[in-house]
Amino acid sequence: MSDTPKTPGFATLAIHAGAAPDPTTGARVTPIYQTSSYVFNDADHAASLFGLESFGNIYTRIGNPTQAVLEQRIAALEGGTAALAVASGHAAQMIVFHTLMETGDSFVAARQLYGGSVNQFNHAFKKFGWNVAWADGTDPESFERAITPATRAIYCESVANPGGIVMDLDAIGKIAKKHGLPFIVDNTMASPYLCQPKQHGADIVVHSMTKFLGGHGNSIGGVIVDCGTFDWMQAKHKYKTLVEPNASYNGMVLAETFGNFSFAIACRVMGLRDLGPAIAPFNAFLILTGIETLPLRMEKHCANTLAVATHLAKHPKVAWVNYAGLTSDKNHAIQSRIAPKGAGAVFTFGLRDGYKAGVSLVSNVKLFSHLANIGDTRSLIIHPASTTHRQLTDAQRVAAGAGPDVVRLSIGLEDVADIIGDLDQALG
Ligand SMILES: Cc1ncc(COP(=O)(O)O)c(C=O)c1O
């Protein structure tokens, strides 16, 4: 027998990473620490916590023991050095860029992103003076062409919502490395079970935990994972939050003091502390519980989705299906390399009879829920042209992959015969 401790497998980490029986009560499940603040041992202890000389609890806006278990678990599942859980996926994105950017800085992002992220980057971030340059997620070289001296990061989704495009993370990551830029990947649609972006060059991973990590459609949350791979002290560009002496921490240089987990620390002690979008302990608890079954759920999500996509591809009322899990799909080869265990649970398809057929389908389904979310145990449906993309012009809708004929599904964990039966009866 070897003395080297074996790294636990993914399913073991999904249940145990970060957790231990509660030292006070013996409670086996991580408790919900529903408290806003924590008593210091003495004045020296308080001073050392505030000076970042020791780690511990101060105030739930900055950290909480339930949240800490969630963070350690996700860091383990993503292979990162540390993580920071926050109130939503959008809050995670805001804190990441707040840590990296100064007014006038820019970043390059794939244009095939969740529509809410496109809005956040185009409009809300502009108010902070942060600019986005758009690249084509299917053309890695377009990221390189969009880089300017003001560029501070590269951003994409591993599997894009909703287009089902799987990005060539290896190729985009190489470009980021060549230009000395941190590579940020939103891994929401794949989850760490299907894809670990760090293995493909990512330096920072973000998630909307609202989707597959939580998995039950009951809580909003986001997380930032520090992969520990980017050397901020040696970086080509000066990331001030990390490398300049910090006036609010006695001149401490975060990247020097915290090394390969300094990005996660900077996000917590500068981003979360000052911007404030903390996750509620109850939401952290629900998401932590959801993660325990992530491997099982993702297997079943992928198997059900492949069966539904295969069925729809042959349906006479369906013009096309975009699902990378289909061997005939243009994204299948990249998916087999980036997310080999499956292509996830979300895909789009087009109805031959266009807009009216889309509205009729969402009105006729019985098992599917007509709503704007993904990554639930329940099967979900939306017709973007009449809902999320309603305000756009026809041309903008088509460019965003939300033309009049497009329907998005997020396939749940019900019996697949019932899911297919519901679509068939609703298609008429
Ligand atoms: C891929 C992706 N990233 C980020 C977000 C934003 O997450 P949240 O709704 O938790 O703020 C979403 C939400 O749908 C998403 O689908």
Side-chain angles (χ1 to χ4, degrees), residues 167-329:
M167 310 260 172
D168 189 343
L169 301 185
D170 298 298
I172 303 169
K174 270 193 196 126
I175 290 164
K177 206 169 186 58
K178 178 174 156 197
H179 290 270
L181 298 167
F183 181 31
I184 308 161
V185 176
D186 179 338
N187 198 29
T188 299
M189 291 263 285
S191 90
Y193 182 71
L194 299 179
C195 171
Q196 282 185 330
K198 182 183 175 183
Q199 314 259 352
H200 303 281
D203 300 298
I204 297 162
V205 177
V206 291
H207 281 272
S208 166
M209 299 194 291
T210 315
K211 319 297 178 190
F212 295 97
L213 285 171
H216 294 73
N218 57 20
S219 35
I220 303 275
V223 71
I224 301 160
V225 180
D226 186 345
C227 295
T229 43
F230 197 83
D231 188 344
W232 305 99
M233 292 304 289
Q234 301 300 321
K236 179 175 163 199
H237 303 288
K238 193 169 182 186
Y239 295 92
K240 286 188 183 173
T241 304
L242 285 130
V243 305
E244 282 198 342
N246 198 304
S248 59
Y249 291 112
N250 291 328
M252 180 184 277
V253 173
L254 295 177
E256 217 167 54
T257 307
F258 298 108
N260 71 356
F261 59 102
S262 55
F263 186 75
I265 294 278
C267 286
R268 184 188 302 281
V269 303
M270 304 302 291
L272 190 55
R273 182 195 69 173
D274 295 347
L275 299 174
I279 187 167
F282 185 51
N283 279 11
F285 170 84
L286 290 173
I287 294 168
L288 201 47
T289 307
I291 290 173
E292 294 185 6
T293 55
L294 180 69
L296 291 172
R297 286 188 288 104
M298 292 314 291
E299 287 287 344
K300 175 93 162 142
H301 274 303
C302 290
N304 277 0
T305 308
L306 186 58
V308 174
T310 305
H311 178 79
L312 287 177
K314 290 183 291 203
H315 198 286
K317 297 206 168 159
V318 172
W320 53 266
V321 173
N322 260 346
Y323 181 57
L326 295 172
T327 47
S328 56
D329 192 89

Side-chain angles (χ1 to χ4, degrees), residues 87-93 113-117 120 155 157 159-162 186-189 206-211 219-222 372-374 408:
S88 68
H90 267 13
Q93 294 163 202
L113 292 185
Y114 161 60
S117 299
Q120 186 188 43
Y155 188 97
E157 292 178 4
V159 178
N161 178 12
D186 179 338
N187 198 29
T188 299
M189 291 263 285
V206 291
H207 281 272
S208 166
M209 299 194 291
T210 315
K211 319 297 178 190
S219 35
I220 303 275
N373 195 18
I374 56 169
R408 183 186 76 186

Side-chain angles (χ1 to χ4, degrees), residues 22-52:
D22 182 62
T24 314
T25 61
R28 189 62 192 87
V29 171
T30 300
I32 305 165
Y33 286 93
Q34 191 64 37
T35 182
S36 55
S37 36
Y38 308 84
V39 177
F40 307 120
N41 301 343
D42 53 38
D44 287 345
H45 177 226
S48 76
L49 289 174
F50 276 95
L52 292 184

Side-chain angles (χ1 to χ4, degrees), residues 354-371:
Y355 189 95
K356 268 176 79 177
V359 172
S360 148
L361 177 61
V362 296
S363 312
N364 290 339
V365 286
K366 295 192 170 76
L367 181 64
F368 275 79
S369 303
H370 177 207
L371 54 75

